[in-house]
Amino acid sequence: MTEPTAPRKDLSQLNDARPAAGRRRGLWIGLAAAAVVAALAVTGIVVATRPGDTAAEPGVTAGEPVSGGTLRFGWLGYPESIDPHLNTSFAATNYANNIVDKLTFQDPDTGEITPWLATEWETNDELTEFTFTLREDVTFSDGTPFTAESVKHNFDQYVHGDEALGIKPNGATHLQGYVETRVDDDHVVTIVFDRPYASFLQFLSYSANNQPGFLADATLEKSAEERLQPENIIATGPFTVTDYVPQESVRLERRDDYDWGPEALGHEGAAYLDAIELITIPEASVRTGSLQAGDIDASFDIQPTDEPVLAQAGYGLTSRVIGGLNVSLAFNASLPQTSDIAVRQAIIRATNREGYKQTVLSESEAQAKSILSETVPGYVDYSDTALRFDLEEAAAILDEAGWLPGEDGVREKDGVELRLKATGINLLVSARPAYESLQADLASIGIQVEFTFDTGNLSQDQLSQEYHLINNNRTRNDIAILNVNFNPTRGNVARIPADFEGYDDIVQRLEAVESTLDTEERAAIAEDVQDLLLDEYALTDPIFVPSQIAAYDPSVHGIILDSSTRLLFVDTWIEASE
Amino acid sequence: MTPGTPGAVARQIALGLGRAAVVLWLAFTASFVLLYALPASPVELLFPADERTTVDAETYQRVAAQYGFDQPVVVQYLQRLVAALQGDLGASVQTGKPVVQAIAEVLPNTVVLAAAALLLAVLLAFVVAVTAAWLRSDWLRDLIESIPPLLVSLPNFLVGLLLIHLFAFQLGWFPSLGGQGLHALVLPALTLAIPIAGPIAQLLVSSFRRELASPYVETSLGKGLTRVQVLLGDVFKNASLPAVTQAGIIAGEILAGAVLTETIFSRGGLGRLTEEAIRDQDIPVVQGIVLFAAVVFVVVNLLVDLLYPLLDPRIRASAGRAERGLVPA
């Protein structure tokens, strides 16, 4: 909730209040205010203890799925656009995930890449060319078939954009090194890169920022402006968008002829629900209240404090940690203090991840045990090794490196003080208390950190030049995210300068994640890269594992969070009311 | 020339429009300077925050060129100014939607809410003020007169949540969601009306008191009119005048209050658009809203200037004397 910022003109001066009456009036205001507070408390308590219409225990399946019904689903945001390629906000990517399909599907349970619109694939030895065989029974909602040409048209526009149509190069950052898409046959297509891209197969299943779903030619020919009309958004997914009221709601309706959901989901045929109303409810307590009052059937963006209340009242909860890079602080290796590995190691050692889990995180959020969440294939647990919490050891590391407490208790070395600037994140409720806890621990060993949580106004240049610790968290359920994020020739969030000792070593070892698809080799590389980041070069400090959680009435079943922690409604159904 | 004649009105309108044009140009320039002086790079803002480091320089350049951000600032300013004069305020960075369209789409919602809230607020304020003026019991009057400061000090946010929890979730009298229909308008309009009613009522209470102490009231009562007749006649009319001058401020209060009201009641509208555009640093949209707000203020103040002489003969008379050089203007 934003702070009220209404410029309130003080008109009370215009009132010639008499002093004697003023006192008595004050009493009346006090009484009235007390009544308001009491009324609020009463409604608050009543709402909190109101039992859910609990017919079934959550998690207990209530018989066979039934078709029909409209799911009213509340959430914080709304799609800023209904073009799946353009979509980047959380709401927008969740919406898009239900109207487009992708070539592959990452099994949320195993992390394995499984067939979807592509039935099989092969690659060349260099992992620069990927050839896909496509399903032949897939159609767009306008009746046109999904073919190799569709794949080519989509990827070409996705990477290059279209200036005449006002379409941005939405996929350019995801598909760096894209050369072309070759149509080999009606249903065989080859995508060519100028460098190895082992994680491309996983990326094809990705459902977060600018997801690579397929749109019909009719949509690709439309301008950015025309793509704000639901009738111009044509895809192959289980639902089509039929109504879009920015700020208020989006309506999705079932495609009855849909029969190409990902095999790994185990759902056959069309979706169960007739329709879905995605309803924007910006205020958190109103979302929870609407769910409890039965105005909506399910809700996303549940406040951590509401989780236990809803669970106790019998509502179902489905949560999943964000697959990818945990909430973490990347060290800025270009600034004097954090260019010293001793400082970086000491801060990592002084981070009490287990403590955050016990004190400030919600039920569904998790202790960070690596830079990756545990859903990412290749994740390794460092909680007893590189990521153990030990304040004494942290202090000892600093002593040994010559960072000694100055007069005011802040450590310094060669005239440089350990006064650091850091960025936080506003969007996650738990981040602020976790960072404040870290701030206190660091202060106790002589490191002063000042956090900025509202970072919208900071440019990349400013971050590089002034901030020692930079908040970082990203969705991508593959070790490729470490290369994308930390490789000095790519994202370089640790601002590794060209003269950094080990620069070439870091580049080479991170780039290795794109060099193989062999599961065992990839696991070894994953461990090597996590060692490199957390221990050997100590470039990042993991704080906690964020999560997403959906709450729903007990009559709702089958809400799925995929490997990108985005919603899938294809298997969702509502018990018929008696 | 007597004010109120067509010539004088035309002159006043021309003067008002001239002032309005200057105010709008200043608002445009100030918002441009402020938004472009921000440290954040407008090109970076076109990409999701967590991807900005990953975007390569070539893509940045291409997108910068597409949006004209690669031009010198002065050129950008002039281009935007010329476009704005033709009614083109650019397109939203977030959605690609033309700013004028983005504002026009949500405006009707806010206008309906604002009109309903204003009506309620004025009604509430008059009821309070007239009741306070009519009452003869000191403590009852004190009680009534304590209402306006209470209304002013009630946070919009708290009122909205209280109303929605009580009347929507608990009693189910009104819907908690949905911007459609008169039924759904009641709670949000009341939420927005309460803090606006406060200052209007305060103003009315004090002007009623002043008017009641005026000699003409004694005269009217002396002629045998009842207290109620006097109150609802001359006193009512004269006491209302100061409130009209507050119209500009009230318009501002409504726009500001709309942000919270629309958020709590999940209504689309200009308030939400403002909050989101600022949060997402959607520069063209923010600039469009600043300009729109400036237009509202300018128009409201122009209308007040034009209306006031019609409502108050004294102003007409003094302006007339000023014109004839009888009193310093």
Side-chain angles (χ1 to χ4, degrees), chain A residues 277-314:
Chain A
E277 287 280 354
L278 300 168
I279 304 164
T280 304
I281 308 177
E283 166 53 32
S285 70
V286 177
R287 279 196 298 281
T288 311
S290 299
L291 179 63
Q292 289 173 316
D295 293 340
I296 53 175
D297 306 304
S299 178
F300 226 7
D301 305 302
I302 297 295
Q303 295 290 93
T305 44
D306 286 342
E307 280 181 37
V309 177
L310 288 170
Q312 208 174 8

Side-chain angles (χ1 to χ4, degrees), chain A residues 73-90:
Chain A
F73 192 88
W75 60 9
L76 167 68
Y78 64 91
E80 68 277 9
S81 135
I82 47 172
D83 177 353
H85 289 176
L86 178 64
N87 283 341
T88 57
S89 73
F90 187 67

Side-chain angles (χ1 to χ4, degrees), chain A residues 11 16 78 80 247-248 295, chain B residues 95 176 199 209 268-269 272 276:
Chain A
L11 295 182
D16 59 338
Y78 64 91
E80 68 277 9
Q247 300 185 329
E248 291 183 19
D295 293 340
Chain B
T95 63
S176 64
R209 192 180 300 131
R272 289 260 304 283
E276 285 155 10

Side-chain angles (χ1 to χ4, degrees), chain A residues 322-446:
Chain A
I322 303 282
L325 201 71
N326 294 333
V327 172
S328 50
L329 290 171
F331 294 107
N332 185 338
S334 293
L335 293 178
Q337 296 91 333
T338 35
S339 66
D340 185 344
I341 190 167
V343 173
R344 304 199 296 264
Q345 282 170 335
I347 293 174
I348 291 176
R349 197 67 74 244
T351 305
N352 186 3
R353 297 167 199 85
E354 198 181 346
Y356 308 150
K357 174 60 196 165
Q358 286 161 0
T359 54
V360 299
L361 301 184
S362 75
E363 276 293 304
S364 60
E365 290 163 330
Q367 177 187 348
K369 297 180 176 176
S370 170
I371 180 64
L372 299 169
S373 53
E374 56 187 317
T375 60
V376 181
Y379 148 90
V380 176
D381 182 345
Y382 289 87
S383 56
D384 292 326
T385 53
L387 298 185
R388 66 186 182 278
F389 169 63
D390 190 334
L391 274 182
E392 279 175 27
E393 195 189 335
I397 292 172
L398 292 171
D399 287 339
E400 199 177 323
W403 293 94
L404 301 174
E407 277 174 26
D408 54 358
V410 177
R411 290 175 186 263
E412 55 181 57
K413 179 182 176 179
D414 306 330
V416 178
E417 283 193 304
L418 284 186
R419 287 184 191 279
L420 311 179
K421 285 174 82 174
T423 63
I425 178 166
N426 257 342
L427 290 172
L428 302 173
V429 178
S430 304
R432 192 184 281 260
Y435 280 140
E436 281 167 356
S437 174
L438 173 65
Q439 193 176 32
D441 281 334
L442 290 176
S444 77
I445 57 164

Side-chain angles (χ1 to χ4, degrees), chain A residues 11-177:
Chain A
L11 295 182
S12 57
Q13 290 103 320
L14 298 174
N15 193 351
D16 59 338
R18 293 155 298 171
R23 275 199 303 278
R24 254 192 288 170
R25 196 173 301 162
L27 178 71
W28 282 113
I29 295 173
L31 284 176
V36 169
V37 169
L40 192 73
V42 168
T43 52
I45 289 162
V46 173
V47 169
T49 54
R50 181 190 160 117
D53 311 316
T54 47
E57 285 287 305
V60 177
T61 316
E64 286 296 300
V66 289
S67 282
T70 298
L71 180 77
R72 293 162 305 165
F73 192 88
W75 60 9
L76 167 68
Y78 64 91
E80 68 277 9
S81 135
I82 47 172
D83 177 353
H85 289 176
L86 178 64
N87 283 341
T88 57
S89 73
F90 187 67
T93 52
N94 277 287
Y95 139 80
N97 203 27
N98 290 284
I99 66 153
V100 294
D101 295 324
K102 287 144 206 151
L103 288 184
T104 63
F105 180 76
Q106 186 174 29
D107 190 319
D109 299 325
T110 64
E112 196 188 339
I113 307 302
T114 67
W116 194 349
L117 296 186
T119 53
E120 53 186 275
W121 48 82
E122 53 190 51
T123 72
N124 64 353
D125 292 343
E126 294 77 36
L127 297 172
T128 56
E129 297 193 5
F130 298 78
T131 302
F132 298 90
T133 306
L134 308 176
R135 282 184 79 123
E136 298 187 8
D137 58 345
V138 178
T139 57
F140 290 99
S141 58
D142 64 354
T144 54
F146 168 77
T147 63
E149 287 285 348
S150 317
V151 175
K152 178 177 170 53
H153 295 164
N154 271 275
F155 280 138
D156 282 352
Q157 191 175 77
Y158 185 59
V159 174
H160 301 304
D162 188 322
E163 237 171 276
L165 297 176
I167 304 297
K168 285 195 277 183
N170 296 305
T173 53
H174 288 305
L175 299 189
Q176 284 179 22

